[in-house]
Amino acid sequence: MHDYDAFSFDSKAEMLEKSAHYWNPDKTRFWSDSGVDLVIDRREGYLLWDMDGRRLIDVHLNGGTYNLGHRNPEVVTAVKHAMDRFDVGNHHFPSLGRTALAEVLVESAPAGLTKVAYASGGGEAIDIALKSARHAMQKRKIVSIVKAYHGHTGLAVATGDDRFAKLFLADRPEEFPQVPFNDLDAMEQALRGRDVAAVIMETIPATYGFPLPRPGYLEAVKALCEKYDALYIADEVQTGLMRTGELWGITKHGIEPDILVSGKGLSGGIYPIAAVLLSERAGAWLYEDGFGHISTFGGAELGCVAALKTLEITQRPEVRSMVHYIADQVGAGLRQVQAQYPDWFVGIRQNGVVLGLEFAHPEGAKYVMRQLYELGVWAIFSTLDPRVLQYKPGILMTPDLVEELLDRTALAIGRAAADPALSRRRAS
């Protein structure tokens, strides 16, 4: 039983029943049917406690939202202090918080990004990026990647997988063409007509299972954008904030994007905020009509405080060193596990602490997810490629917790590999 008096559920079963009734029937039942009856109650650092008191190590992190851990004490303290003076704020007026955060973001960013527009979440931020590109280029087309995911708002959902675009009648291939990842010929064909406003790319496509760009691919896409007069939008909602060992993953490729989008972890996991960093060209509408995008909660002042503290922590030299240490330890540990089950655990996709674990079954990651859950680890399968488990250690994870995580992971992968039902259905 949880200890928060405002909630009056007698049991987890009652809570789940009401969740299905009042909140989201399909999602509630999906997780129950998947063997994951998780109702998160207490949370601290990289640990979660279920409503029934069971402890789990979190390597899902809600897509990197909890990059610094749950309820990071420094971020919590900063926001608590800010509440003595600030609240959401008024989005129409110049703001101490928004201005201070914008300056820090621009200083941290690749060269050429000079302005910041705010959103309350990643999908809205992607919408701002796409609107900005269309205004700057006076073209409509946006090219994205097959199996991409950029959020669920109006324009963002049109750039993603058909599963979500068609559900809400947002699929518009004439305006939002898609090309396969790592296919430069297809990308050039899409751009050749010079009628594309922008190409939007996750630096590593998350919901597709973190397939890694081939050497030189992203750089070549940027060159094609320049050749055919299109903007390059770097979606760093999941790969930013030191997850690749650099503050922004795109800088590892030497690319200066025209637009960069950050969200999720920018909040410190405490107060929602997302940001769009724009070049002078991409941000031209900010001079022409600053009311062009209005967001009541975008750049909320308490969120700005959370983001400022998050960026300060993330950019500490010792944190950068810790990310490289964790990445090395996790990578080495997983390779040892893979050597034990090479026909089942068939691939490790890694860039820093962004990892996708690939299994030899069309839905192999679901089996491993279930075993991990039973063993006290929460990681999630990739929605658009269920062969791949998203596995995302936090950037402040302690060596002891890394060791415990690897021990439990090895056991879970072994149990999944030995599952008789899985063996019968395993892909040939």
Side-chain angles (χ1 to χ4, degrees):
M1 182 65 182
H2 53 75
D3 57 4
Y4 190 57
D5 295 338
F7 305 142
S8 56
F9 305 113
D10 292 331
S11 66
K12 182 197 283 187
E14 180 198 2
M15 204 290 309
L16 289 171
E17 182 182 346
K18 288 188 175 181
S19 175
H21 184 80
Y22 293 109
W23 176 62
N24 190 317
D26 182 65
K27 189 179 282 191
T28 301
R29 289 176 185 138
F30 171 84
W31 289 116
S32 294
D33 292 347
S34 298
V36 178
D37 59 344
L38 177 61
V39 179
I40 300 169
D41 191 351
R42 188 162 65 89
R43 67 291 304 261
E44 195 80 35
Y46 298 108
L47 301 177
L48 304 171
W49 282 264
D50 180 74
M51 187 176 169
D52 289 338
R54 200 158 67 87
R55 170 186 177 273
L56 296 109
I57 303 171
D58 185 8
V59 286
H60 171 212
L61 303 183
N62 203 8
T65 303
Y66 303 107
N67 207 29
L68 301 182
H70 292 269
R71 299 177 58 250
N72 179 280
E74 291 189 69
V75 181
V76 168
T77 297
V79 173
K80 280 183 176 178
H81 287 165
M83 288 176 71
D84 292 334
R85 182 176 178 186
F86 298 112
D87 50 22
V88 168
N90 188 316
H91 62 286
H92 282 302
F93 297 99
S95 156
L96 295 168
R98 283 190 290 277
T99 303
L101 176 58
E103 183 177 13
V104 170
L105 283 168
V106 167
E107 288 175 349
S108 79
L113 299 173
T114 62
K115 295 289 185 292
V116 175
Y118 290 110
S120 55
E124 183 193 353
I126 294 294
D127 278 8
I128 295 170
L130 301 182
K131 292 194 299 184
S132 298
R134 283 178 159 184
H135 173 270
M137 309 306 287
Q138 291 297 297
K139 305 173 188 176
R140 287 185 176 274
K141 276 191 183 179
I142 305 291
V143 174
S144 60
I145 297 300
V146 175
K147 299 291 183 185
Y149 179 83
H150 298 287
H152 283 274
T153 48
L155 294 175
V157 76
T159 64
D161 188 67
D162 279 353
R163 170 183 170 183
F164 303 119
K166 287 184 174 178
L167 182 66
F168 297 111
L169 308 184
D171 52 318
R172 288 177 281 173
E174 70 284 356
E175 289 189 16
F176 294 89
Q178 298 188 339
V179 299
F181 189 54
N182 278 324
D183 187 335
L184 281 173
D185 289 339
M187 181 64 74
E188 183 159 20
Q189 185 62 36
L191 292 171
R192 189 170 280 128
R194 295 182 176 272
D195 57 350
V196 172
V199 174
I200 183 167
M201 301 278 293
E202 286 183 279
T203 304
I204 310 171
T207 308
Y208 194 19
F210 298 124
L212 299 177
R214 292 190 188 123
Y217 170 68
L218 295 182
E219 295 89 330
V221 171
K222 179 63 163 70
L224 287 173
C225 287
E226 293 174 357
K227 180 177 179 180
Y228 295 110
D229 197 28
L231 301 185
Y232 185 105
I233 303 172
D235 181 341
E236 291 270 336
V237 169
Q238 288 216 37
T239 52
L241 301 171
M242 206 61 73
R243 293 210 57 80
T244 65
E246 295 293 334
L247 186 65
W248 307 113
I250 196 68
T251 62
K252 296 181 80 169
H253 299 272
I255 291 173
E256 295 177 3
D258 301 284
I259 302 174
L260 183 148
V261 181
S262 178
K264 291 191 184 293
L266 189 65
S267 68
I270 295 298
Y271 203 103
I273 191 167
V276 185
L277 283 64
L278 301 157
S279 68
E280 287 294 303
R281 187 183 191 188
W285 64 271
L286 289 163
Y287 293 94
E288 181 180 331
D289 186 351
F291 292 83
H293 182 83
I294 292 175
S295 175
T296 301
F297 298 127
E301 292 178 9
L302 292 174
C304 291
V305 170
L308 283 163
K309 177 52 70 172
T310 295
L311 286 165
E312 189 268 309
I313 294 170
T314 303
Q315 294 184 87
R316 293 172 185 167
E318 61 269 29
V319 170
R320 181 186 295 271
S321 298
M322 182 58 72
V323 172
H324 289 282
Y325 170 82
I326 295 167
D328 289 346
Q329 291 298 106
V330 170
L334 289 173
R335 286 190 293 274
Q336 290 179 7
V337 178
Q338 187 182 20
Q340 293 180 269
Y341 308 101
D343 296 330
W344 162 236
F345 182 12
V346 296
I348 300 171
R349 304 166 178 181
Q350 180 176 14
N351 187 337
V353 289
V354 175
L355 292 108
L357 313 187
E358 185 179 349
F359 298 96
H361 182 280
E363 295 193 334
K366 291 184 178 180
Y367 288 84
V368 177
M369 177 188 75
R370 190 175 301 122
Q371 293 295 337
L372 282 168
Y373 178 67
E374 291 177 3
L375 289 166
V377 175
W378 174 234
I380 198 169
F381 70 94
S382 298
T383 304
L384 301 178
D385 188 355
R387 297 175 306 129
V388 182
L389 185 78
Q390 293 187 22
Y391 193 87
K392 297 172 292 211
I395 69 171
L396 304 179
M397 189 173 273
T398 63
D400 286 349
L401 196 59
V402 170
E403 186 175 342
E404 181 185 348
L405 171 65
L406 288 169
D407 288 345
R408 291 171 186 253
T409 301
L411 186 56
I413 289 173
R415 285 186 181 180
D419 187 326
L422 183 59
S423 297
R424 287 193 297 272
R425 297 178 57 198
R426 189 171 300 174
S428 59

